[in-house]
Amino acid sequence: MGHVLELGRRVALQPMDAHCHDITVALYRDLAPGGTPFYAFHSYSCHPDAGLRLDFLAAAACHLGGMVASGARAHAVAWPCGAAHLSATRRLFVEVCKLAGPALPALRPPEADEARSGARYHVEGLGAGRYRLSADAPGDMSVRLRTIAGGFGKLAEMAVDEAAGPAVAFPCGHDHDRLVALLLPRALNARAAMREEESVAGRGVLVAPSAQNQPN
Amino acid sequence: MSQPISPMTSRQRVLAALRREPVDRTPVCNPTSVATVELMDLADAFFPEANRIPEKMANLAETSYTELGFDTIMPVFSIIQESSALGCKIQWEQKDNWPTVKMREPIWRDVEDIRIPPDLLTHPDTACVTEAIRILRRRHGDEVAIIGKTMGPWSLAYHGFGVEPFLLMALDDPGKTMQVLERLKEVTIAYGLAQIEAGADALTLPDHATGDLVSADYYRRFLKELHAEFAARLPVPIILHICGRTVDRMPYIAETGMAAFHFDSKNRPDESMAAVCGHCALVGNINNPETLFARDPEQVEAEVLANLEAGIHLVGPECAIPLQTSIENLRAIPRAVRAWHSAGGGARCHHHDHSHNNG
């Protein structure tokens, strides 16, 4: 049997990793000696494949999200800007856990198509952590763009500047191009993305007999 | 003036608190489950096997003591073991979810349908629990309190008849309802005695007369006497567990002779202490879905302190915790208890009345 480790604060969980023998993978947040936040992928599983899976997930977070490896701990990653970006990191965790590995996927382009409207949306870096949203579509897309900007706000705690296009900005003032490209398809329907996270989190919670017809 | 209490083992501490005797510190107790998916990985014991294989059940259960620092081990994570032996259909689920009785496929329609099978105690799903208790007792000796679980007749009736049909029966035909409960109480007794014989120090007895389904008057009419009978016939401390808002029936529960009541966070600690009026111990009542599951250790510690300040006898989660609960939130419970006692809170803790209760 293993032993519980002092890993910091758990911020995300994949209870059953379908790509690695149903092991549980968690993301822990801690502070490096200089006070910079870092995140570590961790599993208490003793399955022989668990370590390789954690290697892959950390590498995928760097590749797809633009995080960098942190020497603070095994399978640890951090944002190059030194900020925490907690919501964005949680979303990145969800995205990388979906990947089967071991090969890393192609980087996402800074654009995404929307089947419903036929529109193609773009994010364009403006520097200093700011990004302008635009759309290739007939008609006035300003309302839709504002909604997508709000999606970025929900998924990554980005500030929304409606006057500039609209534009969204990271509070750290640094660019995160890969992360923005990764988040764009989710920002098109942020509510669905958040429902997905809630659905995973809701498993294993007992419900009162009157609510479920199943007493516990 | 109270005498200082010599250091106790976890088992001594829990049993003393259940008798409402002085303790060296407030015990941390899990009358239901503290299993999590991370602890399953750590123990290499996963649902559903950890509900069906004694060794796996014991390995996962003991993490509450060895890893979390609780004073108890509770191997009966679910509420379906004896219902499986009775013939209910079970959805065993997988690692990240609870096994449940398929109550939409009831096995009984009337009193006469209730058959207690001769293999009730040797069925693999009931024998798993008794064997796990034996394993745990061999491993841990007298160091830690091992708590078993035997379901009450009201809950067993939900499983066998379905929730709605049984509640309608209680409404339409109280006489028949009493016959059902009388028949099913023998399951509760037999399974409880088997676990005591296997080495259980105490038993949790869930009987879901919950506040949102059953009134306090129903509790008094249908269950109070039965619960008193359980307290008399099962020779270890019994911890009654009922979810939800139950403060209206706590005075009745306190008169049954049950050693303790495992109460929900929908009831404030101070009002609950007033409701039982010193006649039984209280166990709980750290909130599961909002605090343990979704918040941080600081909020967990705040709830622990509220319980300690109210004089709650044993502190722990209000019910079986969500399987995705974080380990650091669970470890915050014993840490907060120890910190409170180190800061002098223990002096107030030794006040528990000295009346003995139920073995």
Side-chain angles (χ1 to χ4, degrees), chain B residues 85-343:
Chain B
L86 287 169
C88 292
K89 293 170 185 169
I90 308 295
Q91 177 88 26
W92 284 102
E93 288 288 350
Q94 52 189 6
K95 178 183 180 182
D96 68 343
N97 214 353
W98 295 94
T100 53
V101 174
K102 295 180 180 176
M103 284 182 288
R104 296 194 183 279
E105 300 176 44
I107 57 171
W108 302 321
R109 299 177 70 87
D110 213 329
V111 185
E112 288 70 32
D113 298 334
I114 299 173
R115 298 269 187 277
I116 298 177
D119 70 341
L120 174 72
L121 303 178
T122 55
H123 184 282
D125 292 325
T126 45
C128 174
V129 168
T130 45
E131 182 53 27
I133 290 172
R134 286 191 188 93
I135 291 169
L136 289 164
R137 182 54 74 205
R138 282 199 298 272
R139 285 183 189 171
H140 297 283
D142 290 338
E143 284 296 308
V144 57
I146 297 171
I147 302 181
K149 185 195 287 178
T150 184
M151 301 299 293
W154 195 272
S155 292
L156 293 173
Y158 282 165
H159 289 178
F161 289 94
V163 173
E164 190 175 327
F166 181 67
L167 289 175
L168 288 173
M169 183 195 295
L171 196 66
D172 296 338
D173 196 339
K176 185 185 283 186
T177 304
M178 283 309 302
Q179 289 176 43
V180 167
L181 297 173
E182 282 292 325
R183 285 200 183 198
L184 289 174
K185 80 179 182 188
E186 297 306 330
V187 176
T188 307
I189 295 286
Y191 196 35
L193 289 173
Q195 291 175 65
I196 295 166
E197 192 274 334
D201 292 307
L203 292 171
T204 299
L205 198 156
D207 215 7
H208 292 87
T210 49
D212 56 347
L213 293 179
V214 178
S215 70
D217 184 54
Y218 264 47
Y219 179 82
R220 182 186 57 77
R221 285 164 56 199
F222 288 111
L223 288 172
K224 186 183 169 193
E225 279 187 29
L226 276 172
H227 287 176
E229 186 176 342
F230 293 141
R233 289 176 64 185
L234 293 167
V236 294
I238 309 298
I239 304 168
L240 179 66
H241 168 88
I242 304 178
C243 304
R245 176 80 179 158
T246 50
V247 74
D248 59 354
R249 65 213 64 191
M250 284 187 200
Y252 299 134
I253 291 167
E255 292 172 359
T256 60
M258 292 278 180
F261 180 54
H262 186 209
F263 72 123
D264 192 302
S265 62
K266 290 188 177 71
N267 312 280
R268 289 198 326 270
D270 57 342
E271 67 177 351
S272 303
M273 286 294 285
V276 298
C277 201
H279 294 301
C280 77
L282 286 172
V283 190
N285 77 340
I286 312 304
N287 176 282
N288 278 347
E290 291 170 16
T291 307
L292 277 171
F293 178 54
R295 294 190 182 160
D296 292 329
E298 293 75 20
Q299 285 86 41
V300 175
E301 289 167 5
E303 284 197 23
V304 170
L305 291 183
N307 277 278
L308 292 169
E309 294 291 347
I312 297 302
H313 307 77
L314 303 97
V315 174
E318 62 182 343
C319 189
I321 61 159
L323 296 173
Q324 295 188 35
T325 303
S326 72
I327 290 174
E328 67 261 31
N329 274 3
L330 292 168
R331 294 177 96 187
I333 301 174
R335 187 171 64 238
V337 168
R338 290 188 176 94
W340 184 76
H341 281 275
S342 296

Side-chain angles (χ1 to χ4, degrees), chain A residues 30-55:
Chain A
D30 209 341
L31 295 176
T36 307
F38 71 89
Y39 297 90
F41 290 87
H42 180 78
S43 176
Y44 281 107
S45 172
C46 57
H47 194 283
D49 292 343
L52 282 176
R53 179 64 176 164
L54 298 176
D55 288 344

Side-chain angles (χ1 to χ4, degrees), chain B residues 59-76:
Chain B
N59 290 351
L60 179 57
E62 70 187 357
T63 58
S64 68
Y65 177 62
T66 59
E67 303 295 335
L68 303 180
F70 281 48
D71 292 299
T72 52
I73 296 176
M74 154 53 83
V76 200

Side-chain angles (χ1 to χ4, degrees), chain B residues 1-5 22-26 308-309 337 339-352:
Chain B
M1 185 172 166
S2 63
Q3 297 294 311
I5 308 296
V23 287
D24 60 343
R25 69 159 168 80
T26 306
L308 292 169
E309 294 291 347
V337 168
W340 184 76
H341 281 275
S342 296
R348 284 163 294 193
C349 171
H350 302 321
H351 68 19
H352 296 329

Side-chain angles (χ1 to χ4, degrees), chain A residues 80-91:
Chain A
C81 62
H85 294 309
L86 178 59
S87 295
T89 311
R90 282 178 166 146
R91 187 65 221 172

